[in-house]
Amino acid sequence: MDIQRPRGTRDFLFDEMRLRKHVESTLRRIFEAYGYQEIKTPLFEDLALFTMKSGDGIMGQIYHFQDKGGRDLALRPELTAPVARLYINELQKKSKPIKMYYYGSCFRYERPQKGRWRQFWQLGCELIGGKSPESEAEIIAMAAHCLEELGLEDFEIHIGNLGIIRGILDETGVSKEQQDKIMAIVDKGELEELKSILKEFKIDSNTNNILIRLVDMNGHREIIKKVYELINHNKSASKALIELEELLEILEAFGFSKYTVNMGIARGLDYYSGAVFEIYVHSLGAQKQISGGGTYNLIELFGGEQVESTGFAFGFDRLVECVKKCGIQKPQNKTLDVFVAPISKDMKLNAFKIAQALRKYNIKTDVDLVGRKLKKILSQADSLGARYVILVGERDFEEGKITLKDMKSHEQELVDILEIITFFKGKIPIGCPNEKVVLETSNSLKDIKKNLR
Ligand code: HAM
């Protein structure tokens, strides 16, 4: 039977995993530097969690199934709704703000293409109980910090505020449902489609003109003034614009000023209510959006108390692609420091003991498990990138010694078994085991030596 991977999924091999781990640990380090703590939620949730307010786009992409008890469940398409649920279940009484971050896979039934997968990973954060626009600015500054730390330069952060368009639509009496439809089209950036839906919903020509001009406006801080001239008759839109300007001021105080103000940002999910932002890397092509986020009101929608919440998520897979293309590639870790090679069958158990003693010191060690000839072991050690090979030969061993072969210089030297760890100090990374392990290791090396006598 020829079993293939499901469509839209991937396998990751060693080099790819090393790069993914590097990106993951860099982002974790930065998130933690801003005071975020990690959480984990289930891979599947009650279907209703995602059907309540995620928007039509996501609804059509949900992996939905019934379990044996007839419950309607869904593989999570994103993590903001699960975190809002977790907050209501576990954290409502905790003092705020609460800063949480997550790393995990999401599932969307998409038409797979480059950068668009059915299983993909998000690394993101949610800040619950903070205040806008301070929280929004800190989050955007943190996202930029992550990208800079990964060595990326050609990213663009576009920032908007949904309150501006929604304020104008509210004034014309457009229902919430119709507004969501309009926002979904704004999100797609389809101007003609927008014109036709505004006509269909019988929006008056003045509002129509304002909206069409508005969604096309983007630039640096100076465009705030132009937007204001267009919308200043509307109180709530003006309030949202003032908030956006404050956000930019704080963001600059956090040290990031390379942003673009973009009135056409609407986000594909329906739960956003205030500031929104998206990050693009144009060299990725069609799937250029590597991150999105903003302020949302999911917690009240799920029945929790009113609490300001802001967050964002990196599309982790797209970010890894960017690092491959243009980030700072960290030198790849050697996979192995030492390979232990018994020269004869009789030395097999001693080789295992030595390998185990080194591993207790967190020295990356492999040992021959298949009884290969020395030549084959050396070529395997070489292909694994081992820095040293320990040759365990009978004659040396009788004298309490092993031969250490340096795989770079190809030089060999005899080393006393009790001195192995000391020999490696300063040459390869050695962990710092606790006292018990130090004692056990030195006893086991002594034992090896004692058995010889
Ligand atoms: P989103 O924009 O739907 O937002 O997804 C976040 C990121 O995930 C996108 O910017 C994109 O890079 C990546 N992504 C989305 N779909 C795919 C896919 N099929 N294949 C590969 N990457 C993909 C959210 O999910 C929100 N929960 C973000 C958020 C957090 N808002 C507030 N807090």
Side-chain angles (χ1 to χ4, degrees):
M1 189 170 49
D2 181 21
I3 302 177
Q4 295 294 326
R5 268 191 324 256
R7 208 163 123 71
T9 65
R10 289 152 296 162
D11 298 310
F12 302 108
L13 285 178
F14 315 119
D15 286 345
E16 180 82 15
M17 278 314 292
R18 258 192 293 281
L19 180 62
R20 290 174 76 88
K21 280 279 161 210
H22 160 64
V23 175
E24 183 192 329
S25 60
T26 305
L27 298 199
R28 280 175 186 278
R29 176 162 52 75
I30 295 180
F31 279 35
E32 284 171 19
Y34 283 74
Y36 284 80
Q37 299 183 72
E38 188 174 7
I39 46 149
K40 215 168 204 62
T41 61
L43 269 184
F44 58 88
E45 296 268 1
D46 198 319
L47 174 67
L49 187 70
F50 303 110
T51 53
M52 250 194 261
K53 200 60 197 175
S54 290
D56 287 348
I58 281 219
M59 286 287 295
Q61 298 174 334
I62 282 185
Y63 275 90
H64 158 210
F65 62 98
Q66 271 194 346
D67 72 2
K68 289 181 177 156
R71 297 170 196 90
D72 283 305
L73 300 171
L75 294 183
R76 63 185 182 202
E78 57 104 37
L79 278 129
T80 306
V83 174
R85 185 220 19 90
L86 171 145
Y87 167 78
I88 293 171
N89 293 162
E90 315 275 350
L91 297 170
Q92 286 204 83
K93 297 214 162 65
K94 201 171 154 35
S95 75
K96 293 175 207 40
I98 306 174
K99 288 179 160 182
M100 297 175 264
Y101 83 89
Y102 47 79
Y103 172 63
S105 52
C106 300
F107 304 84
R108 295 185 191 177
Y109 193 80
E110 308 246 27
R111 235 190 35 227
Q113 51 187 283
K114 199 170 185 309
R116 190 169 278 276
W117 306 97
R118 288 185 176 169
Q119 182 187 11
F120 61 98
W121 276 257
Q122 284 191 351
L123 202 154
C125 70
E126 310 298 339
L127 196 167
I128 297 181
K131 236 173 94 325
S132 299
E134 290 81 351
S135 307
E136 292 151 351
E138 193 194 49
I139 274 189
I140 297 172
M142 180 171 83
H145 187 166
C146 289
L147 299 173
E148 283 159 5
E149 191 76 9
L150 288 169
L152 302 177
E153 281 169 1
D154 69 335
F155 62 89
E156 284 179 16
I157 302 191
H158 288 228
I159 310 171
N161 190 313
L162 295 185
I164 300 169
I165 299 186
R166 290 220 186 247
I168 290 166
L169 292 172
D170 279 343
E171 197 179 38
T172 56
V174 179
S175 72
K176 280 272 173 285
E177 237 169 54
Q178 288 180 326
Q179 285 192 23
D180 288 346
K181 288 201 170 117
I182 294 171
M183 296 311 270
I185 293 170
V186 174
D187 180 53
K188 282 200 277 175
E190 299 287 346
L191 209 59
E192 288 313 310
E193 221 181 304
L194 179 63
K195 283 179 187 164
S196 79
I197 199 166
L198 293 177
K199 205 164 155 198
E200 185 191 324
F201 292 160
K202 300 192 172 55
I203 310 282
D204 65 274
S205 69
N206 187 34
T207 311
N208 203 314
N209 280 341
I210 292 174
L211 288 173
I212 299 289
R213 282 180 60 195
L214 197 60
V215 296
D216 218 21
M217 289 175 102
N218 62 71
H220 206 253
R221 205 157 156 184
E222 72 286 344
I223 77 147
I224 297 278
K225 205 166 149 235
K226 292 187 188 143
V227 177
Y228 187 70
E229 282 160 13
L230 198 64
I231 56 102
N232 65 12
H233 62 281
N234 182 302
K235 238 180 154 180
S236 68
S238 302
K239 189 169 162 270
L241 185 67
I242 290 166
E243 262 179 38
L244 178 60
E245 195 173 21
E246 264 178 62
L247 188 168
L248 303 177
E249 194 185 352
I250 303 168
L251 184 55
E252 289 184 19
F254 276 121
F256 185 74
S257 54
K258 226 183 72 186
Y259 54 80
T260 303
V261 181
N262 188 337
M263 292 297 124
I265 298 226
R267 307 285 298 125
L269 298 147
D270 282 353
Y271 48 63
Y272 293 102
S273 52
V276 280
F277 70 99
E278 289 180 350
I279 308 181
Y280 310 123
V281 173
H282 293 285
S283 58
L284 288 184
Q287 308 309 322
K288 64 177 194 276
Q289 196 198 118
I290 59 161
S291 178
T295 287
Y296 54 89
N297 56 6
L298 262 184
I299 291 170
E300 296 121 84
L301 287 167
F302 290 164
E305 87 276 32
Q306 205 185 350
V307 58
E308 285 193 52
S309 351
T310 307
F312 83 102
F314 279 117
F316 186 76
D317 310 78
R318 294 183 190 172
L319 195 55
V320 171
E321 273 317 298
C322 296
V323 175
K324 259 190 223 163
K325 274 180 194 264
C326 44
I328 299 169
Q329 289 268 10
K330 287 267 160 72
Q332 299 280 311
N333 278 349
K334 283 255 177 213
T335 48
L336 209 59
D337 294 317
V338 181
F339 201 107
V340 187
I343 289 184
S344 64
K345 263 192 197 160
D346 294 345
M347 289 294 108
K348 186 172 80 175
L349 298 183
N350 290 323
F352 293 160
K353 286 179 188 167
I354 291 171
Q356 208 61 359
L358 300 181
R359 288 165 176 163
K360 293 274 167 87
Y361 274 77
N362 283 335
I363 295 173
K364 291 185 195 161
T365 308
D366 206 348
V367 61
D368 179 59
L369 295 173
V370 283
R372 261 186 279 238
K373 293 251 169 355
L374 185 61
K375 206 168 149 208
K376 288 233 163 107
I377 296 180
L378 287 175
S379 88
Q380 196 202 359
D382 195 42
S383 74
L384 290 172
R387 181 72 184 80
Y388 291 94
V389 171
I390 292 182
L391 302 164
V392 191
E394 225 158 319
R395 200 145 1 110
D396 293 345
F397 208 76
E398 273 165 18
E399 288 164 20
K401 297 195 175 356
I402 44 95
T403 299
L404 260 162
K405 184 177 170 69
D406 183 325
M407 296 296 277
K408 253 193 208 158
S409 65
H410 299 288
E411 281 168 11
Q412 297 193 171
E413 65 181 287
L414 264 182
V415 176
D416 188 293
I417 287 172
L418 294 180
E419 296 299 316
I420 305 178
I421 305 285
T422 320
F423 173 89
F424 283 134
K425 276 192 182 142
K427 296 188 175 80
I428 53 176
I430 297 183
C432 191
N434 63 33
E435 276 175 33
K436 191 168 159 258
V437 171
V438 174
L439 196 70
E440 270 173 19
T441 311
S442 91
N443 283 344
S444 83
L445 290 174
K446 273 185 201 148
D447 262 3
I448 299 174
K449 229 177 143 172
K450 226 191 302 163
N451 285 343
L452 306 169
R453 303 276 153 82

